[in-house]
Amino acid sequence: EPEVTQTPSHQVTQMGQEVILRCVPISNHLYFYWYRQILGQKVEFLVSFYNNEISEKSEIFDDQFSVERPDGSNFTLKIRSTKLEDSAMYFCASSDLPGTSSPLHFGNGTRLTVT
Amino acid sequence: QQQVKQSPQSLIVQKGGISIINCAYENTAFDYFPWYQQFPGKGPALLIAIRPDVSEKKEGRFTISFNKSAKQFSLHIMDSQPGDSATYFCAATISNSGYALNFGKGTSLLVTP
């Protein structure tokens, strides 16, 4: 079964550094998402992306965050200047149809640790 | 403001028993209510979902009950098995917003042998 793959599985960075989290969505999917999960807490929506544009973003997704689809297969989340509170598991997800017409598939996440 | 409230936080059920997890939502515009199952080290995986035009949906041992007037929905796991031990999240969204899901805080389920 096709999977959403995320790399790296764990990334450690120092406060103030830039970090890029990478995702390869399922190949025929067109709708892409980033979520985060702070340890022991609920999963939170960050941003949705379609046709090379942000469709929707949460209040968490401030100017420190950006997303990009640099080529036909990758989808990235960049945090410009990491803070301690950015430490979380970041999940990429994708779907092939608009709205909720088809299931959302999550990757296994990248654990980001900011020291 | 917490859009989706989930309870209980944790649940221990004996093998063969029924596990029940409840969620309540605030926004009456929500029209898609999925449940996700998450194992340690993995991403959430869709278990079952319901839309408000039906009051119940069953898939195998998993059933969602939906009460639109009370703005509540629940997951029932019949004949619970040790392999069901995981964290379960309810969520809600407005379909036109795609998957800008509002998640509950999760329920850690342990099914004992």
Side-chain angles (χ1 to χ4, degrees):
Chain A
E1 186 176 327
E3 288 184 340
V4 175
T5 56
Q6 292 185 243
T7 55
S9 56
H10 189 192
Q11 178 141 8
V12 182
T13 189
Q14 284 194 322
M15 192 168 55
Q17 295 297 303
E18 175 183 286
V19 68
I20 296 176
L21 308 182
R22 302 181 191 278
C23 169
V24 178
I26 294 173
S27 63
N28 64 330
H29 286 190
L30 301 174
Y31 300 84
F32 313 116
Y33 302 83
W34 282 101
Y35 284 81
R36 80 171 186 191
Q37 185 178 28
I38 295 172
L39 186 64
Q41 298 189 25
K42 67 177 180 178
V43 180
E44 298 174 292
F45 168 75
L46 293 179
V47 66
S48 58
F49 189 87
Y50 168 71
N51 199 25
N52 281 319
E53 288 186 353
I54 290 174
S55 308
E56 196 158 337
K57 60 182 181 179
S58 71
E59 58 189 30
I60 302 169
F61 193 88
D62 61 22
D63 292 344
Q64 291 298 311
F65 291 89
S66 62
V67 289
E68 190 179 29
R69 185 141 164 91
D71 54 43
S73 57
N74 291 283
F75 179 52
T76 62
L77 174 69
K78 183 194 294 186
I79 309 175
R80 247 177 284 281
S81 176
T82 51
K83 304 177 206 146
L84 293 175
E85 54 264 38
D86 293 328
S87 294
M89 183 74 90
Y90 288 82
F91 292 105
C92 174
S94 69
S95 65
D96 61 339
L97 294 175
T100 56
S101 305
S102 62
L104 184 67
H105 296 260
F106 283 86
N108 286 332
T110 293
R111 179 171 299 284
L112 177 65
T113 302
V114 182
T115 61
Chain B
Q1 183 189 4
Q2 198 176 336
Q3 296 255 37
V4 178
K5 294 182 181 177
Q6 182 172 347
S7 62
Q9 188 175 349
S10 63
L11 183 61
I12 300 175
V13 172
Q14 281 196 324
K15 179 182 173 181
I18 303 173
S19 305
I20 302 174
I21 305 170
N22 300 299
C23 283
Y25 62 96
E26 298 286 329
N27 190 342
T28 55
F30 289 153
D31 62 357
Y32 179 74
F33 303 88
W35 284 90
Y36 288 88
Q37 180 187 56
Q38 185 180 32
F39 292 106
K42 299 289 188 182
L46 178 67
L47 194 60
I48 187 173
I50 197 167
R51 299 183 193 274
D53 51 344
V54 296
S55 60
E56 186 174 282
K57 183 173 181 180
K58 185 175 181 178
E59 288 183 5
R61 295 185 293 109
F62 302 93
T63 300
I64 300 180
S65 297
F66 184 81
N67 186 329
K68 189 173 179 179
S69 60
K71 295 189 288 184
Q72 294 175 346
F73 59 110
S74 59
L75 176 70
H76 296 234
I77 306 175
M78 313 300 286
D79 187 26
S80 299
Q81 299 296 312
D84 297 331
S85 298
T87 300
Y88 293 81
F89 292 95
C90 63
T93 190
I94 302 169
S95 289
N96 286 343
S97 298
Y99 277 109
L101 291 164
N102 296 274
F103 279 86
K105 288 189 173 182
T107 296
S108 178
L109 172 66
L110 176 64
V111 181
T112 58

